[in-house]
Amino acid sequence: MRDFSSDHAALALNTASLGHNLEGHGARWEPERVIDACAARGFGSIVFWRREVGARAVAIGERARAAGLAVAGLCRTPFLVGTDAVDRMAVLDEARASIDMAAGLGAAVLTIVVGGVHPGTKGTTESLKIVADRVAALAPYAAERNVKLALEPLNPVYAGNRSCLTTVRDAVDICIAVDASNLGVAVDVYHVWWDSGLDAQLQRAGESRILGYHLCDWLADTRDVLLDRGMMGDGVADLKEIRKSVEAAGYAGPCEVEIFSANNWWKRPPEEVLDVMVERFRTVC
Ligand code: ZN
């Protein structure tokens, strides 16, 4: 297991931690200012959201690398299934546009949040089949552009409307069914911390399919399952144990802090949030 106590080069900022994934939240810094603040603190990489990149993908990617940061990822594709994803061709077109944006940024990985239960179906089985079909259609397009696709299972509380994909097990099943070398899984502690079968599924995924590791914490008395994530160390997730499993399966990439926190961290000065992240990363992750 890697030792981060005196080296946080593996630390990545997901800009959602500063509120940048939602309109009207956070300090609303420009990407350039975020890049400089991360570089000054020794972060190794950064992950952006589509809404802040817009038409400036190439320029922002180059700016990040010039400051010494790798662009570890882009969040995210549009939902591939669910009530907003009924028209297959329209969904695939929009997803291809997000792949183009990731390629322009030079982002290593594009995250997929798959969407909720598909209209006309119940449960998750049929929806997951549609996800597999649509991911299979997108994987070659992404491969041609050197973009890896990471299926991110979300906590089961979101299964209805945000992600019918809720476990690493189901994500690995889709990876095996689609069988594309640029398709894998993103492991986010917020979504998987409760899963007692996680270690075995990470082993099953293997090194080549673990494409991301996302950090935050699950607050025991969370007030909002979407926008009340905790800073690492403030909750009940066993962060060291999860990282041990992820790394035992072969993962050696960035550890990306992704904290949606409308009433706490997004209200603090970004400088403070970034400083706390570095300190917690070195001590509790
Ligand atoms: Zn995540």
Side-chain angles (χ1 to χ4, degrees):
M1 195 166 157
R2 292 176 286 177
D3 177 8
F4 296 145
S5 62
S6 59
D7 174 10
H8 61 276
L11 178 60
L13 174 75
N14 182 309
T15 61
S17 302
L18 303 181
H20 291 181
N21 60 316
L22 281 181
E23 192 67 48
H25 286 279
R28 292 167 235 186
W29 282 7
E30 289 296 307
E32 288 79 358
R33 193 169 174 193
V34 181
I35 289 167
D36 289 341
C38 288
R41 287 166 177 78
F43 282 63
S45 44
I46 189 163
V47 174
F48 292 103
W49 284 71
R50 275 194 292 156
R51 65 172 295 274
E52 65 194 330
V53 173
R56 298 201 299 136
V58 173
I60 291 172
E62 286 175 355
R63 181 69 168 69
R65 284 182 288 280
L69 296 176
V71 181
L74 175 68
C75 296
R76 54 177 170 71
T77 61
F79 290 158
L80 302 182
V81 291
T83 49
D84 294 330
V86 175
D87 181 341
R88 184 177 189 273
M89 290 312 293
V91 167
L92 293 181
D93 279 347
E94 200 190 336
R96 285 188 202 101
S98 67
I99 292 168
D100 291 340
M101 186 185 287
L105 265 177
V109 173
L110 174 65
T111 305
I112 300 176
V113 172
V114 302
V117 174
H118 208 58
T121 73
K122 304 274 189 187
T124 61
T125 306
E126 289 308 310
S127 298
L128 291 172
K129 285 181 191 164
I130 300 169
V131 169
D133 164 69
R134 294 180 180 183
V135 168
L138 294 170
Y141 186 87
E144 285 166 16
R145 287 152 186 81
N146 279 321
V147 174
K148 293 182 177 175
L149 300 175
L151 289 162
E152 182 165 354
L154 300 199
N155 192 294
V157 295
Y158 303 116
N161 61 358
R162 300 183 81 83
S163 178
C164 59
L165 179 66
T166 59
T167 60
V168 172
R169 180 196 64 210
D170 289 345
V172 175
D173 283 347
I174 292 174
C175 290
I176 290 170
V178 172
D179 193 24
S181 62
N182 63 327
L183 178 63
V185 181
V187 180
D188 186 324
V189 298
Y190 193 76
H191 302 305
V192 304
W193 70 273
W194 54 271
D195 186 352
S196 56
L198 180 64
D199 187 71
Q201 291 303 324
L202 291 170
Q203 287 293 326
R204 185 169 160 251
E207 180 179 354
S208 65
R209 288 202 189 98
I210 302 176
L211 300 182
Y213 178 54
H214 304 174
L215 283 168
C216 65
D217 212 332
W218 182 277
L219 300 176
D221 292 314
T222 186
R223 289 163 297 174
D224 177 344
V225 292
L226 191 60
L227 300 179
D228 188 30
R229 295 190 184 197
M231 179 63 71
M232 298 85 75
D234 290 345
V236 295
D238 193 343
L239 298 176
K240 289 211 192 267
E241 223 21 64
I242 297 171
R243 184 162 70 86
K244 199 163 128 191
S245 291
V246 169
E247 295 192 1
Y251 185 74
C255 302
E256 170 188 333
V257 178
E258 184 183 29
I259 300 171
F260 301 175
S261 174
N263 290 312
N264 185 355
W265 297 99
W266 289 357
K267 292 191 165 168
R268 303 195 194 199
E271 296 92 337
E272 177 194 344
V273 179
L274 296 172
D275 287 340
V276 173
M277 264 178 212
V278 170
E279 191 265 323
R280 297 291 180 89
F281 184 67
R282 285 179 164 229
T283 54
V284 304
C285 294

